[in-house]
Amino acid sequence: MGNRENIIEIENKIKQIVGDDPDGLKLIISKEVKEQLESLLFDRMCLLNGMFEWTPLNVQRVQKVNDHLKFLSDSLLERYLAIESKSSIICDNPAFDYDYEIDGSLRFSYNGDRSILHLEDDSFYGSDFNLMCATIDMYFSQNTWKSPLFVKLDDLNWNIECLNHKDLKLCYVTHCFCCHGLFSIPDFIRLNDFWAEIMFTEQSITQQDGTRFMKEDNL
């Protein structure tokens, strides 16, 4: 049995778990089923990466997605720093404000068929990219990148592991997608919707008598 047939067999097992409708996937509740799904997605990723060829066109496609993710991650960091600089203005109610958190996230977001590009070699892999990328998105829910601090690592070139190619200059977010996120490289170059979000949260933590929560109490 070749890689293409193995991929089809693995994806049929995945469909038995999540269904075959990318817009109505079955939720994974039990730990055992989640572990089974992760194992199947990992095996699929390895097979697809083994079939992927570093043609000049594919190198360009990887770089194009990477450059957009780099732009988004830089933009998130810029917004993070801008909001942080205004935190004292935003938190202007001493009777309520106790602390604040700023959190950024950048992930693939499945929003229907438009979220996945259809390329000329789709049939070569035998994968249902639409369903599988929707499944990975559901599996991680909030995946790939969770802290603006990671952007400081982008002075390095993350063309390592499965992304090892001399002509690529890759950011940390791309590394996370393909090396930690269960997306194969063929998946990666087809991803077409990305969700970038920055969140500022004000916090007020009090006891029944109005006593303010003190961080040192939990040390």
Side-chain angles (χ1 to χ4, degrees), residues 15-94:
K15 291 175 183 179
Q16 291 175 13
I17 296 174
V18 302
D20 57 8
D21 180 6
D23 295 309
L25 297 172
K26 300 175 185 176
L27 296 177
I28 308 303
I29 299 176
S30 74
K31 178 181 178 181
E32 293 76 13
V33 174
K34 184 176 181 179
E35 290 175 348
Q36 180 186 3
L37 178 59
E38 180 179 3
S39 177
L40 290 168
L41 290 171
F42 179 81
D43 290 344
R44 171 187 175 272
M45 177 187 70
C46 292
L47 287 171
L48 285 169
N49 283 344
M51 296 177 69
F52 182 76
E53 296 182 3
W54 286 107
T55 64
L57 180 57
N58 279 337
V59 171
Q60 292 176 16
R61 285 168 169 162
V62 171
Q63 192 67 60
K64 181 179 180 180
V65 182
N66 170 86
D67 292 348
H68 184 57
L69 290 175
K70 180 66 165 61
F71 167 77
L72 291 174
S73 61
D74 286 347
S75 299
L76 278 172
L77 178 60
E78 181 181 340
R79 294 303 303 148
Y80 174 91
L81 295 174
I83 293 172
E84 186 178 46
S85 70
K86 297 177 175 64
S87 60
S88 60
I89 300 174
I90 299 172
C91 297
D92 60 354
N93 184 353

Side-chain angles (χ1 to χ4, degrees), residues 84-129:
E84 186 178 46
S85 70
K86 297 177 175 64
S87 60
S88 60
I89 300 174
I90 299 172
C91 297
D92 60 354
N93 184 353
F96 177 85
D97 302 323
Y98 169 73
D99 200 358
Y100 69 87
E101 291 182 356
I102 307 174
D103 192 18
S105 63
L106 172 54
R107 65 185 181 91
F108 167 71
S109 176
Y110 183 80
N111 299 295
D113 186 64
R114 70 169 198 186
S115 298
I116 302 298
L117 298 179
H118 299 281
L119 304 180
E120 68 279 355
D121 60 350
D122 283 357
S123 60
F124 167 73
Y125 295 103
S127 175
D128 185 343
F129 288 107

Side-chain angles (χ1 to χ4, degrees), residues 2 9 22 43 45 50 80 125 130 142 155 189 195:
E9 181 181 4
D43 290 344
M45 177 187 70
Y80 174 91
Y125 295 103
N130 205 43
Q142 295 285 327
D155 289 338
I189 62 177
W195 183 281

Side-chain angles (χ1 to χ4, degrees), residues 128-204:
D128 185 343
F129 288 107
N130 205 43
L131 178 64
M132 292 300 111
C133 290
T135 299
I136 296 171
D137 179 35
M138 178 195 70
Y139 176 79
F140 282 104
S141 184
Q142 295 285 327
N143 77 45
T144 300
W145 184 75
K146 284 297 292 180
S147 171
L149 298 178
F150 285 142
V151 181
K152 296 179 181 179
L153 299 173
D154 277 350
D155 289 338
L156 303 174
N157 187 359
W158 291 89
N159 61 343
I160 58 175
E161 299 178 41
C162 65
L163 295 167
N164 184 12
H165 192 283
K166 62 181 180 61
D167 294 332
L168 290 173
K169 171 65 176 177
L170 303 179
C171 67
Y172 183 73
V173 180
T174 293
H175 169 76
C176 287
F177 267 83
C178 294
C179 299
H180 304 302
L182 294 177
F183 289 103
S184 69
I185 305 174
D187 293 327
F188 183 72
I189 62 177
R190 288 166 170 79
L191 302 182
N192 196 40
D193 274 352
F194 300 96
W195 183 281
E197 186 173 73
I198 194 82
M199 295 157 285
F200 185 94
T201 304
E202 290 184 75
Q203 301 167 334
S204 179

